[in-house]
Amino acid sequence: MRITKEQFKTDFRQRVQEKFTNEVEEASNGELFASLGAVIQAYYSDEWKETRKATRDDKCKQAYYFSIEFLPGRMLKSNLLNMGLLDIVRDSLKELDIDLEELCKIEKDMALGNGGLGRLASCFMDSIASSSLPGNGNGIRYDYGLFKQKFVDGNQVELPDEWLREGNVWEVRKASKAVNVNYGGHVYLKEDEAGRLKPVYENQQVLRAVPYDTGMVGFQNDMVNTLRLWSAEIPDFEESNYRSIEERRDFRDLTSVLYPDDSNYEGRLMRLVQEYFFVSAGIQSIIRSHKKSGLAMKDLAEYIAIHINDTHPALCVPELMRLLIDEENLSWEKAWDITVKTMSYTNHTIMAEALEKWPVFMLQEVVPRIFQIIEEIDRRFVAEMTSLVDQEVIERTRIIKDNQVHMAHLAIIGSHSTNGVAKLHSDLLKGIVLHDFYVLYPERFNNKTNGIAQRRWLQLANEPLAGFLDQTIGTSWRKEANDLHLLMNYKNDSTVLQTLADTKRLNKVRLAQYILETTGIEVSPDAIFDVQIKRLHAYKRQLLNLLHILKLYFDLKADPNADIYPRVFIFGAKAAPSYTYAKYVIKCINEAADLINHDEEIQGKLKIVFLENYNVSLAEMIIPAADVSEQISLASKEASGTSNMKLMLNGAVTIATLDGANIEIRDVVGDENIVIFGLTEEEVYHYYETQNYQAIKIYETDSELQRILNAFIDGTIPNIQVEGQEIFDSLIRYNDEYFTLRDYHSYVEAQEKIERLYRDKKRWQQISLINTAEAGHFSSDYTVRRYAEEIWQIEPVKG
Ligand code: 26Q
């Protein structure tokens, strides 16, 4: 987009005047932000319209990414960058005496997701548009995003995230594209004039689904795709169908909150209603526009790919079947063929407690016709397989069993592609978790290792580094992430290494400032910044991190002059509100922080900083300042991880188990440029088989661990009577489900290695450089291109 500074200033002034009847000089930051957003939106509106037109006119095949979560964070700067307007707007605003950075802070994070899965969806939306691919998002416009986290006496407290209070400059309400979604009631089948069985509905409830569209601006390619988020409303004419006030409120509130569970499934009725809501609305709208283009329904799979992001949108399968059969009069066989060809599915977890299963009675109650269709899919699957495989295999793979509907089974059977999100994860799916399905449909299984949008995680988040890269290796890396590899030519160049270290220090100073302002804790930018940022979950083992910190603390207490390199341990993590154990870990870290940060005897050599309300914007500040990246999940448990990639890109050195994408990071940087520790996935599975892990034995025989674990129950860490005991019990009485104690010594050794490497400044700088140089490998641009070629069969839009 080509706009001059003069043009921009004129447009901006005019917008402030129109919107707020105000002069730029008199306007508040809030008014300036809203005006700026509106100007930027207007600037890309033409490309947005043209993108839609081009995909329609060329009749290109399009992908629709169905996800119950999207986590874009703030969008102002990202839009400016992608439109090529960042510098022009920044400079123009400066001439008006306005600081762009200050305006950016006004924008509320769009936090319609929990963590990795939602953020991945947003990195994909950026990369799809930036690769000129025709791909749109489909999800829910929650009135409240993920809760805001505060600490009160070290405990997590959740507050509502009213992100829409001041309006949302990026969205466009499209009332004319609203559709109805039907729920409940009774259904029976009756023959129509043509002799086809058609459903007859009684006492259904109707919800209006209203779409809000947001432009997904591609990186300097004039492409703007659409993220369509649905909001629930009660249609006027149907009001009488809602019997009670409560019921009406329930339904209207359907899209008000995002369920805050991460990697843990809870069978709440409203969640199921949400899932059907955005699935049905999304598929109806796809079919509507397919028909509008004058294309035949039987050819749907040639024009449309629908992606099911985890099982949350798995009802896409029966919903598309329903529309094709009941509304479009296709035969079951034809509809099934189209559905399987259209759908693809990504699995994001192997943890049993995260696998979605819905009780039959709930589906019958909420979506009776959909349940009938699922029953029929299940019946046909069983019939088809009976001649091919053993009865036990069928019993394990069928969709409905023990009065539950297994959503992963539905997604696999109803699609042509199932992928995991890192090599190890995909291998575990094929070899163990979904092995039966792999035997039935080997050709459906594939791997797509996750990736990250290097525009947000380097170009925007780390401008000092980005600017230095431009000077050193040119600017091609901004479009072609693999060109970061050019940095390898400088791995022995001490000036380059030193300048890289200087940019890191700059980012650390900025973070130190933020830490001081928000927590009152003073940290030195010369200390090692050791970072663990991700949702709080037992399998991610924030607790292991804490055990190591306590070890260092006791070492220093024993000898205050012990030669320990100063470290700042930085945490960011939200716990699901109902996940008591995770909340106990937060409390313990906070109390340990209080103890250690205020202990003068250790001369400030150790600091613990648990930053409140970890979100995308905070990540953008922490990641560029990180020296050490903690990726310490129990091997086999983290499907991929993506903070590992973001931290690596920003030059942090990874300390990791051989889990998820950590393995692929090791493969690209080499063993000498990452610090690996802990059990391997095979060893973990071996313990499962032999069942001979005894945590208590370790405790009884290991005086170092004894001292550390006792700190949880003997008052050493104050104010954790209940929490400390629970954590102690989880390790000793309940046998340490995630092998924290088993991996402890290996972790401590790895941390000692980190410290040795850090002391060797040149070596550390070199490892850091290599990590940045090799991180192009994990650009989500490449990931989405592989989805496009191998799964969706879509091609870049010409233009
Ligand atoms: C399901 C049912 C009811 C309520 C909530 C949920 C639910 C919500 C979110 C279940 C799971 C999630 C999120 C899962 C998730 O974020 N998984 C992560 O996905 C990343 C992207 O692939 C991976 O990198 C991480 O390893 C994986 O943990």
Side-chain angles (χ1 to χ4, degrees), residues 138-149:
N138 188 77
I140 297 178
R141 178 180 178 271
Y142 301 102
D143 299 328
Y144 299 90
L146 184 63
F147 66 85
K148 275 209 294 217
Q149 179 196 51

Side-chain angles (χ1 to χ4, degrees), residues 309 372 382 424 431 438 457 480 617-618 638 642 717 730 778:
N309 192 30
Q372 288 181 341
V382 172
L424 172 68
Y438 179 58
W457 299 108
E480 195 61 73
S617 289
L618 191 51
E638 190 69 272
T642 42
I717 308 172
S730 76
F778 299 102

Side-chain angles (χ1 to χ4, degrees), residues 105-357:
K105 287 186 200 148
I106 302 281
E107 182 174 1
K108 298 265 191 305
D109 267 45
M110 186 173 177
L112 310 185
N114 274 289
L117 167 145
R119 183 54 230 173
L120 184 77
S122 286
C123 282
F124 280 10
M125 292 317 294
D126 180 334
S127 286
I128 288 170
S130 297
S131 305
S132 303
L133 289 164
N136 307 295
N138 188 77
I140 297 178
R141 178 180 178 271
Y142 301 102
D143 299 328
Y144 299 90
L146 184 63
F147 66 85
K148 275 209 294 217
Q149 179 196 51
K150 282 222 168 304
F151 295 143
V152 176
D153 298 330
N155 293 302
Q156 167 174 296
V157 173
E158 300 97 26
L159 301 172
D161 168 41
E162 297 179 281
W163 74 292
L164 289 169
R165 205 170 35 195
E166 313 286 333
N168 170 6
V169 291
W170 309 115
E171 69 185 10
V172 181
R173 179 185 159 96
K174 291 272 174 76
S176 69
K177 309 269 184 205
V179 298
N180 286 341
V181 176
N182 300 325
Y183 287 101
H186 294 283
V187 62
Y188 62 92
L189 298 178
K190 197 178 158 199
E191 234 173 63
D192 69 1
E193 323 79 64
R196 291 179 294 240
L197 282 177
K198 290 282 152 150
V200 180
Y201 298 94
E202 286 171 347
N203 290 324
Q204 277 200 312
Q205 295 185 350
V206 184
L207 267 179
R208 210 160 98 95
V210 182
Y212 288 72
D213 289 355
T214 300
M216 296 284 112
V217 181
F219 183 65
Q220 299 173 15
N221 64 354
D222 299 331
M223 247 326 252
V224 183
N225 286 333
T226 301
L227 170 61
R228 173 160 282 184
L229 301 179
W230 298 92
S231 182
E233 295 182 12
I234 294 187
D236 298 338
F237 63 90
E238 276 293 343
E239 294 214 331
S240 57
N241 255 2
Y242 292 87
R243 283 171 288 270
S244 65
I245 299 273
E246 293 82 61
E247 206 167 62
R248 290 188 41 168
R249 201 185 23 234
D250 275 4
F251 272 79
R252 204 199 34 230
D253 288 351
L254 174 65
T255 50
S256 72
V257 290
L258 160 74
Y259 281 89
D261 311 87
D262 177 275
S263 310
N264 187 48
Y265 154 75
E266 266 193 77
R268 300 280 180 87
L269 185 81
M270 267 308 187
R271 166 80 179 195
L272 178 63
V273 178
Q274 282 187 340
E275 292 184 356
Y276 184 63
F277 177 75
F278 88 105
V279 159
S280 177
I283 297 208
Q284 287 186 59
S285 119
I286 290 169
I287 289 197
R288 187 192 272 183
S289 81
H290 181 75
K291 280 165 100 166
K292 220 174 123 192
S293 305
L295 298 165
M297 206 47 62
K298 66 174 177 41
D299 299 329
L300 189 78
E302 283 159 47
Y303 296 95
I304 303 291
I306 293 176
H307 200 80
I308 301 174
N309 192 30
D310 214 291
T311 52
H312 320 144
L315 293 178
C316 277
V317 172
E319 176 66 358
L320 181 57
M321 285 298 287
R322 182 185 74 82
L323 289 164
L324 293 178
I325 296 169
D326 294 352
E327 310 280 327
E328 305 297 332
N329 297 321
L330 266 56
S331 68
W332 179 281
E333 290 74 18
K334 185 67 207 160
W336 184 246
D337 181 53
I338 294 171
T339 299
V340 171
K341 282 186 178 141
T342 305
M343 302 288 163
S344 51
Y345 155 66
T346 297
N347 172 293
H348 293 266
T349 188
I350 65 162
M351 306 259 294
E353 64 264 38
L355 293 179
E356 260 192 309
K357 300 180 210 92

Side-chain angles (χ1 to χ4, degrees), residues 49-161:
K49 192 186 67 195
E50 289 302 316
T51 302
R52 221 174 304 137
K53 193 167 168 312
T55 42
R56 198 172 344 117
D57 292 353
D58 299 355
K59 302 204 186 328
C60 337
K61 184 171 183 184
Q62 298 188 59
Y64 289 86
Y65 198 83
F66 277 56
S67 178
I68 206 163
E69 305 193 0
F70 286 92
L71 196 40
R74 292 176 176 145
M75 292 197 291
L76 175 57
K77 246 181 155 181
S78 158
N79 284 341
L80 288 173
L81 174 77
N82 287 5
M83 293 162 79
L85 293 180
L86 189 53
D87 291 335
I88 285 177
V89 167
R90 195 193 323 251
D91 295 349
S92 311
L93 289 175
K94 202 173 207 158
E95 289 169 21
L96 299 171
D97 219 16
I98 298 166
D99 182 359
L100 174 64
E101 294 305 319
E102 288 305 309
L103 290 197
C104 288
K105 287 186 200 148
I106 302 281
E107 182 174 1
K108 298 265 191 305
D109 267 45
M110 186 173 177
L112 310 185
N114 274 289
L117 167 145
R119 183 54 230 173
L120 184 77
S122 286
C123 282
F124 280 10
M125 292 317 294
D126 180 334
S127 286
I128 288 170
S130 297
S131 305
S132 303
L133 289 164
N136 307 295
N138 188 77
I140 297 178
R141 178 180 178 271
Y142 301 102
D143 299 328
Y144 299 90
L146 184 63
F147 66 85
K148 275 209 294 217
Q149 179 196 51
K150 282 222 168 304
F151 295 143
V152 176
D153 298 330
N155 293 302
Q156 167 174 296
V157 173
E158 300 97 26
L159 301 172
D161 168 41

